[in-house]
Amino acid sequence: MKKYLPNKSRPNGMFFFFLLMIFFIYMSEFIKNSQSQSIPYSQFKHEANNGNINSLTFKGLIIEGSFKQEIQNANKSYKSFSTIMPSIEDQQLIPLLEKHEVEINALKDEPGSILLILSNLLPVIIIIGFLVWSGRKMNGMMGKFNPKNPFGESGKKFQVTKPDTNFSDVAGVENAKKDLQEIIDYLKDPSKFEKVGAELPKGVLLQGPPGTGKTLLARASAGEANVPFFSISGSEFIELYVGMGASRVRELFSEAKKQAPSIIFIDEIDSVGRARGTGLGGGHDEREQTLNQILSEMDGFSSREKVVVMAATNRPDVLDSALVRPGRFDRQVTLDLPHKNARIEILNVHLKKLKLGKGIDSEKLAQATPGFSGADLKNLVNEAALLTARKNAPQTTMNIFDEARDKVVMGNPRENFLTEKDKEIIAVHEAGHALVAMCLKGADPVRKITIIPRGRALGFTEQFQIEERVNLSKTHLENQIAILLGGRIAEEVIFNEITTGAEDDLKRATKLIRKMIVNWGMSKKLGYVAFSQGEEHSFLGREMSRPKDFSESTAAKIDEEIQNMMKSKEEQVSKIINDNKLKLLAMSGKLMEQEILLEDEIKQIFS
């Protein structure tokens, strides 16, 4: 038989019912009192002398009564009245009332005093009731741990799973896998390490650019070790109520210890693990209290508690130094953007899901996607699949991949709003970029030229890298500057006029020259010196200005050197354009006809 359980919400209902009854009593008395007219005592004595008082009741100093005839005052008629006696006793009042045969009543206990007390207490009772209700709601949110709702009624949950993902599902991060293999072996067979006195690392920090597979690698580590995987985002620790984040940290670590061996994964830990002292609330900042609790919990691990804390961030520079010291996050694993071979492996994993046509070359796709992260490559494959479905094609072809890549890199094609004159200027501009790239020794080959507007670009000249570059040479950088200037100078040579279309090219060229001089010491005039002009603030996440570490005369020399280098590149590009003017016109004319030129067509025109 099911036992009767009292409804815990009933006291709340009775409490609010009591408040409602007081409110109705107060309002009924207020309405009753509002039907009578409050008059001065002098007017009351005047009506009493005229014999217009019918009856009255004494309630302490308050007199309530009615007139024999209605009184007109301010366009309002009334027959009931109330007044207040002066504190000095009126000896003539009672004889006057008896003379005119007025019915006199008196109340021994003043019922109005009870109502007065209740009316005065009503605002206090309402405030206390609201505080009690808020406290109970807060206690409900910070209640006891429940596996189905670990953080009470707040709606924030950490996920507890045993992932079926393993290292075979993660491609292109072989070095990171090796760094994590020892931890996985320890979780599988701790006795092997305990025999030689080795201890399990308490924490592993996965750092790298967005989309490099940090979360996937952490999940795969739990799958390889076949242990519970507790995952939560760093921002989910922070709530409005102070102390909520620290409470959640305690609950998370407590449950992970119960299910040890296990892995705790905190994604985007920089949202809660930033350097202390940068918060707006000082030491009482909720974020800092949460960080302190994480540090305390990690210190509390013993060698017998087989729990590993993994965290991911793309901003390791802003983390608190106490968080990344040995004994907390003992091991730091860096995941870089994948190189060509890694991109081939990643593409091969995602291409398994597609129906591929003949001629699909993952190596060629990898060569055309430098700088793509693992997430970017997955998105590229998905866009190709969507495009295949949109075209009702039976298989995904290389042309579809090229179109999908253009969409990912530059955006969808925009409506053709260009006039013929605009198209001609853009064609000459893009042909100028391509011509300079073809003429410069050591420059990357041109893969495609287009004058179809995509995203914010009106045209685009695409080059592809033959080999991966780790260090950029001065010659390569100078070639990049020359290619950027090719569009503007081509416009000037052909039309004897310049347009605003080179804005982004000039910004990039100037920024590159400044970096060569200021950061990389590539100026003979200034020598092998690096000058600092600003730094990225660890709290605000943007570049903040600070006093320059060089004099004004040095700043003037830097500006002069930037102008000299830019002038030198302008002269070099101008000579290339003038010497190959016919090739430039042929290339731009072909672009006007086809709107897109591919590598083979570009080579044919150039030769």
Side-chain angles (χ1 to χ4, degrees):
M1 182 180 294
K2 185 182 293 186
K3 293 184 179 180
Y4 172 76
L5 296 175
N7 187 355
K8 294 183 179 180
S9 64
R10 189 171 300 160
N12 286 339
M14 293 295 294
F15 178 76
F16 284 107
F17 176 74
F18 176 67
L19 289 180
L20 194 62
M21 290 298 296
I22 294 175
F23 178 74
F24 278 129
I25 293 172
Y26 176 76
M27 290 302 298
S28 63
E29 191 68 20
F30 175 78
I31 294 171
K32 178 182 175 183
N33 291 336
S34 65
Q35 294 174 351
S36 63
Q37 180 70 25
S38 178
I39 62 175
Y41 185 74
S42 58
Q43 184 181 354
F44 162 70
K45 288 291 297 287
H46 176 74
E47 297 297 336
N49 285 323
N50 292 337
N52 194 27
I53 303 296
N54 182 35
S55 63
L56 55 81
T57 302
F58 286 92
K59 298 180 180 180
L61 296 178
I62 300 176
I63 302 175
E64 294 180 355
S66 61
F67 297 120
K68 292 179 180 179
Q69 296 181 356
E70 289 186 350
I71 302 298
Q72 186 76 22
N73 185 18
N75 298 325
K76 181 180 179 181
S77 299
Y78 57 91
K79 194 171 182 180
S80 299
F81 70 91
S82 66
T83 188
I84 299 176
M85 293 180 61
S87 59
I88 302 174
E89 185 179 357
D90 189 347
Q91 301 291 340
Q92 300 176 355
L93 178 61
I94 298 300
L96 177 63
L97 296 174
E98 290 176 346
K99 177 182 177 182
H100 292 284
E101 299 180 349
V102 178
E103 181 183 344
I104 302 174
N105 299 300
L107 296 178
K108 181 180 180 181
D109 295 322
E110 184 184 349
S113 62
I114 299 175
L115 183 61
L116 184 63
I117 292 171
L118 289 177
S119 63
N120 290 333
L121 288 178
L122 183 61
V124 178
I125 294 173
I126 292 175
I127 292 172
I128 294 174
F130 174 75
L131 293 175
V132 171
W133 176 79
S134 299
R136 291 189 176 184
K137 288 291 289 182
M138 184 175 176
N139 288 335
M141 294 175 67
M142 299 180 65
K144 294 183 178 180
F145 177 79
N146 182 351
K148 294 183 179 179
N149 191 4
F151 292 146
E153 297 178 3
S154 66
K156 301 290 186 182
K157 304 178 181 180
F158 58 74
Q159 297 180 355
V160 186
T161 58
K162 272 199 173 181
D164 54 3
T165 308
N166 51 45
F167 278 175
S168 62
D169 300 315
V170 185
V173 287
E174 297 305 320
N175 290 332
K177 290 180 186 177
K178 292 176 183 177
D179 290 336
L180 294 173
Q181 190 60 50
E182 288 179 2
I183 294 172
I184 294 168
D185 292 342
Y186 190 102
L187 292 172
K188 285 182 176 179
D189 184 16
S191 61
K192 172 183 174 182
F193 295 86
E194 290 172 353
K195 287 178 183 178
V196 296
E199 294 184 0
L200 179 70
K202 293 182 179 180
V204 179
L205 182 65
L206 304 175
Q207 56 188 18
T212 49
K214 298 182 288 294
T215 304
L216 179 62
L217 186 61
R219 188 176 297 277
S221 299
E224 282 285 324
N226 193 28
V227 296
F229 183 69
F230 294 77
S231 63
I232 187 172
S233 173
S235 60
E236 292 186 77
F237 287 115
I238 307 301
E239 283 290 346
L240 174 65
Y241 299 106
V242 175
M244 177 73 77
S247 174
R248 290 179 174 178
V249 171
R250 288 191 294 270
E251 291 167 353
L252 173 62
F253 278 77
S254 174
E255 187 64 19
K257 290 176 184 178
K258 291 177 184 177
Q259 300 190 36
S262 60
I263 292 177
I264 297 174
F265 177 66
I266 305 174
D267 199 8
E268 305 295 343
I269 195 172
D270 50 275
S271 62
V272 71
R274 288 175 178 259
R276 285 169 289 185
T278 57
L280 299 178
H284 299 284
D285 183 38
E286 170 68 357
R287 180 183 58 79
E288 294 191 5
Q289 291 190 26
T290 305
L291 173 59
N292 290 336
Q293 188 62 43
I294 292 175
L295 298 176
S296 176
E297 291 291 340
M298 294 186 74
D299 278 341
F301 282 161
S302 68
S303 58
R304 294 187 301 273
E305 291 169 335
K306 300 172 181 62
V307 179
V308 176
V309 183
M310 287 188 175
T313 180
N314 50 29
R315 293 293 308 279
D317 55 307
V318 303
L319 296 180
D320 193 275
S321 57
L323 191 65
V324 295
R325 73 161 174 83
R328 301 269 172 63
F329 283 99
D330 305 80
R331 185 164 295 182
Q332 298 183 19
V333 179
T334 302
L335 284 78
D336 293 318
L337 291 173
H339 53 77
K340 181 181 174 181
N341 292 335
R343 292 198 298 273
I344 292 173
E345 293 178 13
I346 295 170
L347 284 168
N348 286 335
V349 170
H350 296 303
L351 289 175
K352 292 177 183 177
K353 304 175 184 178
L354 274 62
K355 292 183 179 179
L356 302 176
K358 293 181 180 180
I360 294 293
D361 187 355
S362 58
E363 183 176 354
K364 191 173 181 180
L365 282 174
Q367 191 173 14
T369 52
F372 273 47
S373 65
D376 293 331
L377 294 172
K378 181 181 179 181
N379 184 46
L380 171 64
V381 174
N382 185 60
E383 286 291 344
L386 292 174
L387 195 56
T388 303
R390 198 176 303 128
K391 291 186 173 185
N392 294 319
Q395 295 176 324
T396 306
T397 63
M398 201 65 188
N399 288 336
I400 290 177
F401 268 108
D402 287 339
E403 193 173 341
R405 182 188 172 283
D406 289 344
K407 179 182 177 182
V408 170
V409 174
M410 296 178 286
N412 280 320
R414 288 191 285 167
E415 182 182 355
N416 193 355
F417 56 89
L418 300 175
T419 64
E420 286 300 312
K421 182 62 177 177
D422 285 334
K423 286 178 68 175
E424 185 180 4
I425 293 172
I426 296 169
V428 169
H429 183 103
E430 297 303 329
H433 288 311
L435 180 66
V436 175
M438 298 290 286
C439 292
L440 289 173
K441 185 179 180 180
D444 292 328
V446 179
R447 181 175 180 268
K448 180 192 293 185
I449 314 172
T450 176
I451 57 171
I452 299 175
R454 283 180 176 269
R456 297 177 60 186
L458 298 177
F460 187 73
T461 300
E462 181 185 356
Q463 298 172 265
F464 66 89
Q465 297 180 8
I466 299 175
E467 57 184 13
E468 302 284 334
R469 290 188 180 91
V470 178
N471 292 317
L472 302 177
S473 67
K474 184 179 179 182
T475 301
H476 174 76
L477 295 171
E478 289 177 342
N479 286 345
Q480 289 297 105
I481 296 166
I483 294 167
L484 288 169
L485 296 178
R488 161 60 65 86
I489 295 174
E491 292 179 26
E492 189 174 8
V493 170
I494 300 301
F495 301 109
N496 197 26
E497 181 65 274
I498 56 177
T499 68
T500 59
E503 178 185 2
D504 186 59
D505 297 332
L506 296 177
K507 282 182 180 179
R508 291 166 61 191
T510 306
K511 184 178 180 180
L512 200 52
I513 292 174
R514 181 172 288 276
K515 277 194 169 185
M516 290 174 66
I517 295 169
V518 173
N519 298 101
W520 300 326
M522 293 184 177
S523 168
K524 291 182 180 179
K525 187 174 182 179
L526 294 170
Y528 302 152
V529 182
F531 302 97
S532 180
Q533 298 183 90
E535 63 179 352
E536 192 168 88
H537 196 283
S538 61
F539 181 61
L540 299 178
R542 63 171 184 262
E543 191 173 279
M544 302 292 291
S545 61
R546 68 174 184 179
K548 297 178 180 179
D549 59 1
F550 51 89
S551 65
E552 291 299 324
S553 61
T554 303
K557 290 179 183 178
I558 290 173
D559 293 339
E560 183 183 353
E561 190 69 2
I562 290 172
Q563 292 174 359
N564 291 337
M565 188 175 290
M566 186 71 80
K567 189 67 176 175
S568 172
K569 290 293 111 184
E570 287 177 19
E571 292 173 359
Q572 180 188 6
V573 173
S574 233
K575 186 175 186 308
I576 292 173
I577 297 291
N578 282 297
D579 291 346
N580 297 274
K581 192 172 181 180
L582 292 178
K583 294 179 180 178
L584 176 68
L585 293 172
M587 200 179 298
S588 61
K590 197 72 171 176
L591 265 176
M592 287 287 290
E593 293 177 15
Q594 300 181 191
E595 295 187 332
I596 295 176
L597 290 179
L598 299 179
E599 183 180 1
D600 293 338
E601 296 172 303
I602 297 168
K603 287 181 178 178
Q604 185 178 358
I605 294 170
F606 188 78
S607 62

